[in-house]
């Protein structure tokens, strides 16, 4: 009998393919679009559990001098190809776009070219996996014409876009002031201010955005991400749900370190589909951060 006959045969399953992809693509790449006051950096710090600013890398992965980068920004030169990486979670790679301020045709073309270039990459690691579009909710300009044009043009292809309404707490403050101006007592205004803010968000932001021809895959509202009590769980969950490719979803869920409940949920959904106990455990472990199922497989082959 061949010595390999006594080893446990683990079938070539979804988990095998997913882990193979993850070994070749250990990073999840996100393009973050938003105006200068949209709170993008604060959001990314929350997602990556960091209090420090990200490292800025060249397209080839070389660490750049922050003073040179800031100098370029002051002179109006912005490079969307640069990669933002946090030491607390280096498996996320972010690219930053300044958003489409009024008349910023040049930035729109840069984003189009960047998305097209990434879509043409023949490697999963070089492709763009998701887009987060940040829109501040505390502004008097809900959607700029250039932003409407973005969502009325087929720019993103198959890349899922999540619209993120940031600074919802600022909209609550505006709603409260409006209620006071309308004659409500302070107590009444405090009671219904959050409901009023949500109504304003729906009417002025969400409905116009979702009525565009190429509306985002989903949307989420966030409070002030600078607060310790704030959470980005809903953003993580909406992004995972928007990913239609199982391999990319597994990669995203295992890369993020904020939402352990999401890991458990997907682990249960995937694991319970398998009747084989080995496959059940392997499937469950695949969705947890920093757990490489290949180690479990090797242990089975060596000791079982």
């Amino acid at each position: 009998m061949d010595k390999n006959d006594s080893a446990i045969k683990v079938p070539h399953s979804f988990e095998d393919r997913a882990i193979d992809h993850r070994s070749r693509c250990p990073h999840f790449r996100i393009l973050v679009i938003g105006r200068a006051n949209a709170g993008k950096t604060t959001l990314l710090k929350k997602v990556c559990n960091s209090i420090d600013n990200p490292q800025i890398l060249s397209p080839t992965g070389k660490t750049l001098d922050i003073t040179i980068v800031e100098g370029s920004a002051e002179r109006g030169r912005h490079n969307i190809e640069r990669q933002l990486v946090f030491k607390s979670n280096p498996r996320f790679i972010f690219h930053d776009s300044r958003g489409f301020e009024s008349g910023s045709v040049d930035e729109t073309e840069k984003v189009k070219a960047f998305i097209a270039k990434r879509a043409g990459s023949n490697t999963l690691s070089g492709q763009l996996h998701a887009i987060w579009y940040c829109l501040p909710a505390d502004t008097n300009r809900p959607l700029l014409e250039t932003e409407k044009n973005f969502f009325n043009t087929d720019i993103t292809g198959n890349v899922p876009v999540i619209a993120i309404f940031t600074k919802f707490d600022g909209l609550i403050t505006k709603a409260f002031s409006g209620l006071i101006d309308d004659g409500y007592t302070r107590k009444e205004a405090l009671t219904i201010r959050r409901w009023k803010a949500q109504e304003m968000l729906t009417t002025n932001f969400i409905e116009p955005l979702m009525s565009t021809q190429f509306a985002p895959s989903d949307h989420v509202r966030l409070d002030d991400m600078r607060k310790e009590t704030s959470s980005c769980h809903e953003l993580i969950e909406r992004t995972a749900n928007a990913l239609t490719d199982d391999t990319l979803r597994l990669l995203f869920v295992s890369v993020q370190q904020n939402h352990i409940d999401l890991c458990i949920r997907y682990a249960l959904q995937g694991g319970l589909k398998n009747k084989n106990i080995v496959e059940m455990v392997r499937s469950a472990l695949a969705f947890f951060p920093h757990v490489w199922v290949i180690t479990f497989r090797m242990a089975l082959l060596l000791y079982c």
Side-chain angles (χ1 to χ4, degrees), residues 41 44-46 48-55 85-88:
T41 302
L44 299 186
K45 285 182 178 180
K46 177 68 70 171
C48 293
N49 295 315
S50 177
I51 60 173
D52 300 318
N53 287 325
Q55 291 181 306
V85 177
F86 289 86
K87 290 182 179 179
S88 56

Side-chain angles (χ1 to χ4, degrees), residues 257-301:
Q257 300 174 14
N258 258 293
H259 200 339
I260 191 66
D261 289 348
L262 189 66
C263 297
I264 295 172
R265 187 185 314 163
Y266 277 108
L268 289 174
Q269 289 177 358
L272 293 177
K273 294 178 182 178
N274 296 297
K275 295 182 179 180
N276 181 290
I277 187 63
V278 173
E279 286 299 302
M280 184 182 296
V281 174
R282 294 179 68 251
S283 177
L285 290 179
F287 284 98
F288 285 86
H290 316 306
V291 175
W292 290 87
V293 181
I294 193 67
T295 303
F296 178 74
R297 180 181 183 182
M298 291 175 64
L300 285 174
L301 293 174

Side-chain angles (χ1 to χ4, degrees), residues 193-211:
R193 60 179 179 168
R194 194 172 187 89
W195 170 84
K196 182 62 177 179
Q198 181 59 52
E199 181 185 67
M200 294 167 64
L201 183 70
T202 300
T203 302
N204 300 329
F205 291 83
I206 297 176
E207 289 180 351
L209 179 63
M210 299 310 291
S211 65

Side-chain angles (χ1 to χ4, degrees), residues 92-112:
F92 270 126
I93 293 179
F94 300 103
H95 295 268
D96 175 38
S97 167
R98 294 177 299 181
F100 310 122
E101 301 288 353
S102 181
S104 59
V105 177
D106 183 55
E107 188 66 21
T108 304
E109 293 304 316
K110 286 181 181 178
V111 170
K112 286 182 180 179

Side-chain angles (χ1 to χ4, degrees), residues 129 158-160 217 238-249:
H129 304 137
N158 295 324
V159 181
S217 307
R238 297 289 178 94
T239 303
N241 291 341
L243 294 166
T244 56
D245 183 276
D246 288 339
T247 300
L248 278 180
R249 185 184 294 118

